[in-house]
Amino acid sequence: MPSALFCAGLGLRPAGGKIEVFQALQRLHMTIFSQSVSPCGKFLAAGNNYGQIAIFSLSAALSSEAKEESKKPVVTFQAHDGPVYCMVSTDRHLLSAGDGEVKAWLWAEILKKENSLILAGGDCQLHTMDLETGTFTRALRGHTDYIHCLALRERSPEVLSGGEDGTVRLWDLRSAQEVQTIEVYKHEECSRPHNGRWIGCLATDSDWMVCGGGPALTLWHLRSSTPTTVFPMRAPQKHVTFYQDLILSAGQGRCVNQWQLSGELKAQVPGSSPGLLSLSLNQQPAAPECKVLTAAGNSCRVDVFTNLGYRAFSLSF
């Protein structure tokens, strides 16, 4: 079952239509007592009278392509029982002071805070789960058939979903509303009726999306819902990801495909499996020595690529 982690600090709220009223009352009576900029300069922390700290992405808000969502918190968490009167940042920590207490928060932990899990599958819905309580908090309905893939947008609380019904849908996780639908198979340049309409792979980078399956693997500009590049790959692709100035894809056949954004095939690197179902890029800065691409599929082997030019070795079950 496809799943994704979302870092928007989704907390428990009153159910149903009371959510909007509760949030409106909070905003009406809110006071922000303190602010502090992160060590990297890209994020701003603000503390309010409810004991909450909100983290805003300055880089997203200042972008020339910023939207209203870019000006909302990327993370919100309960820091104190009373107001957050003062905050200051060090190289590693965000320090916050309330009524008689001082707390220290690791910036690295704040910015990767994972409060909710997003799941989707055979019931045609996306579900959000609160990881602290294990309860399902929302169901997002719109797809009419099985959901194959999810992709979280990096700088906004939105998720993309692709399914058997041939659509890619963009969801706002704050409002739990569908905000955009792309019926990929209806675009002549990427339609392949003989393969079907299903969307089997999906990835996003800023305002761009790449998806494929029955329709051809295609790069889309999300704001205009426009296909900009159709990649000349005949076999349906099962996994796709952005990597620097390339797009990597895999599916039927044993090769990892490297695409230029213009649509040119830069390289095909063979692996050991006859068909590939998943790719994984390890780019964790804490372990630069483990920076690898791994590929797996129809075999007991996991191929390891220490660079994109060749398979270094394989792991095996």
Side-chain angles (χ1 to χ4, degrees), residues 22-35:
F22 176 81
Q23 292 175 338
L25 287 172
Q26 271 205 329
R27 289 192 293 270
L28 181 64
H29 298 287
M30 185 178 294
T31 301
I32 297 174
F33 287 109
S34 52
Q35 299 181 64

